[in-house]
C-alpha cells in the first residue's frame, strides 16, 4: 500500500475513539486495508492525551437528528423543528457543519434546514426544488453544495438562502447523486450511481468525470487532503486515490454489504 501524507495525529485519535464507540469499519495506511471494527487501528501512543477531547457526531434520521457530544458516547435524539411540524416527518439524509456552530441538513422533497447554534435549533430554507436530496457539504459558511435524485446538483454562495441547480451531468436523469465533498472552496468531488466520480477545481462551476465503474453505486466520498481520499458504495466497494482523484485503485473492504459513508482522517487512518 503506498503511504499517504501524515497530518494531525490528534485528529486521528479523536476519530478513532469515536469509531470504537460506533463499531465502524476502520482502515490503517492510506485507507487500506479495511477491517470490521475499529479496534484494529489503535491510535499512536503520542495521541493518548487526545482521548480526552470532546467528540461530536451527527446522524440524520426520519424527523430527528441524533447527536453525540460527550466522553461516554451517549446519543441524544431531538426533533428537527417542532415535533408536529412537516420537518418532523421528513426523511433526513445528510448533515454537514462548516464549523462548530453553522450546519445544514438535507432530506426528501428538497428539504433543507440550517442551524446557527451548533444544532440546538434548526430553521428551514427554501431550495426551490422538490427533489429528494441525499448529500450536502459546505466548505465554507457561505459556499455549499447539495446533490440528489435525478442527477440534481445544487450550489449556493449565500449560506443556503438561494440555490442554482443543474442536471446536465445526469444523462437525462438516469444518474443519481449521493455524495459530495469539498476539501476547500475550490477542489471537490461528487459521486453517485453508475460508478461515476466527478471532480471540480473551480468551486463547482465545472465538473470533470474522473472514472466510471459501471455496475456500482457510490454513496460517499471524502478526502483527507488534496491528494488522499476514498469513495464507498454498493457491494462493499471502496476505491482510494493518492493523486487527488485523477486515478483510483480498488480497496478490499472485506464486506459485501452497501457502504454509505467514508471518512479519511489523514493519510494513514480512515473509517
Amino acid at each position: 500500500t503506498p503511504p499517504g501524507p501524515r497530518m494531525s495525529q490528534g485528529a486521528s485519535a479523536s476519530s478513532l475513539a469515536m469509531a470504537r464507540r460506533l463499531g465502524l469499519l476502520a482502515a490503517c495506511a492510506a485507507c487500506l486495508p479495511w477491517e470490521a471494527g475499529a479496534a484494529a487501528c489503535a491510535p499512536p501512543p503520542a495521541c493518548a492525551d487526545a482521548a480526552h477531547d470532546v467528540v461530536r457526531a451527527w446522524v440524520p434520521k426520519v424527523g430527528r437528528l441524533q447527536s453525540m457530544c460527550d466522553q461516554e458516547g451517549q446519543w441524544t435524539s431531538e426533533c428537527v423543528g417542532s415535533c408536529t411540524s412537516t420537518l418532523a416527518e421528513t426523511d433526513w439524509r445528510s448533515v454537514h457543519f462548516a464549523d462548530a456552530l453553522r450546519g445544514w441538513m438535507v432530506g426528501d422533497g428538497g428539504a433543507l434546514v440550517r442551524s446557527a447554534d451548533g444544532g440546538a435549533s434548526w430553521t428551514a430554507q427554501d431550495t426551490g426544488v422538490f427533489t429528494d436530496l441525499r448529500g450536502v457539504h459546505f466548505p465554507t459558511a457561505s459556499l455549499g453544495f447539495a446533490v440528489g435524485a435525478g442527477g440534481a446538483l445544487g450550489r449556493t454562495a449565500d449560506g443556503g438562502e438561494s440555490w442554482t441547480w443543474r442536471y446536465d451531468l445526469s444523462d437525462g436523469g438516469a444518474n443519481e447523486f449521493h455524495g459530495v465533498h469539498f476539501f476547500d472552496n475550490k477542489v471537490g468531488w461528487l459521486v453517485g450511481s453508475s460508478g461515476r466520480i466527478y471532480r471540480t477545481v473551480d468551486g463547482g462551476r465545472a465538473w470533470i468525470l474522473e472514472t466510471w465503474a459501471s455496475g456500482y453505486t457510490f454513496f460517499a466520498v471524502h478526502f483527507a487532503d488534496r491528494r488522499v481520499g476514498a469513495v464507498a458504495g454498493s457491494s462493499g466497494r471502496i476505491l482510494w486515490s493518492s493523486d487527488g482523484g485523477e486515478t483510483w485503485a480498488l480497496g478490499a473492504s472485506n464486506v459485501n454489504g452497501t457502504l454509505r459513508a467514508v471518512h479519511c482522517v489523514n493519510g494513514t487512518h480512515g473509517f
Side-chain angles (χ1 to χ4, degrees):
T1 303
R6 291 181 177 273
M7 295 176 64
S8 168
Q9 294 292 336
S12 299
S14 300
S15 299
L16 284 165
M18 180 188 296
R20 287 195 184 86
R21 298 171 185 169
L22 305 182
L24 298 179
L25 198 68
C28 298
C31 298
L32 294 173
W34 295 79
E35 299 182 9
C41 286
C47 300
D49 291 341
H52 300 290
D53 292 345
V54 173
V55 176
R56 182 181 296 274
W58 305 91
V59 178
K61 299 183 68 177
V62 177
R64 290 177 175 268
L65 178 68
Q66 285 190 306
S67 63
M68 179 178 72
C69 187
D70 62 28
Q71 295 302 318
E72 303 301 323
Q74 299 299 314
W75 290 84
T76 60
S77 180
E78 59 190 55
C79 291
V80 178
S82 168
C83 286
T84 59
S85 70
T86 56
L87 295 179
E89 300 174 358
T90 299
D91 193 349
W92 299 104
R93 301 284 187 169
S94 178
V95 59
H96 182 259
F97 275 74
D99 52 38
L101 296 177
R102 291 168 291 190
W104 291 260
M105 185 161 58
V106 296
D108 289 354
L112 170 72
V113 290
R114 177 182 184 271
S115 176
D117 54 14
S121 62
W122 295 85
T123 303
Q125 290 184 305
D126 186 9
T127 60
V129 297
F130 295 96
T131 301
D132 291 345
L133 301 178
R134 293 167 178 166
V136 63
H137 189 95
F138 275 72
T140 71
S142 57
L143 180 63
F145 299 84
V147 298
L153 170 58
R155 184 181 188 273
T156 179
D158 55 12
E161 292 299 322
S162 62
W163 291 82
T164 300
W165 294 90
R166 56 185 293 184
Y167 297 84
D168 55 308
L169 303 177
S170 67
D171 280 354
N175 196 25
E176 305 280 316
F177 291 141
H178 295 279
V180 59
H181 172 77
F182 273 71
F183 174 70
D184 54 27
N185 64 350
K186 295 293 185 181
V187 182
W189 298 265
L190 171 66
V191 298
S193 60
S194 301
R196 296 187 175 195
I197 304 174
Y198 292 87
R199 181 169 66 105
T200 180
V201 294
D202 62 1
R205 292 179 174 83
W207 294 84
I208 304 168
L209 178 61
E210 296 291 353
T211 191
W212 191 347
S214 181
Y216 295 94
T217 295
F218 292 125
F219 291 97
V221 55
H222 188 270
F223 272 72
D225 53 36
R226 284 177 175 264
R227 299 187 63 81
V228 178
V231 300
S234 59
S235 302
R237 184 70 59 173
I238 292 180
L239 300 182
W240 65 275
S241 176
S242 59
D243 57 11
E246 293 186 15
T247 61
W248 295 84
L250 179 64
S253 69
N254 299 318
V255 298
N256 295 320
T258 297
L259 302 176
R260 298 187 180 274
V262 66
H263 185 96
C264 286
V265 179
N266 55 31
T268 59
H269 295 86
F271 310 95

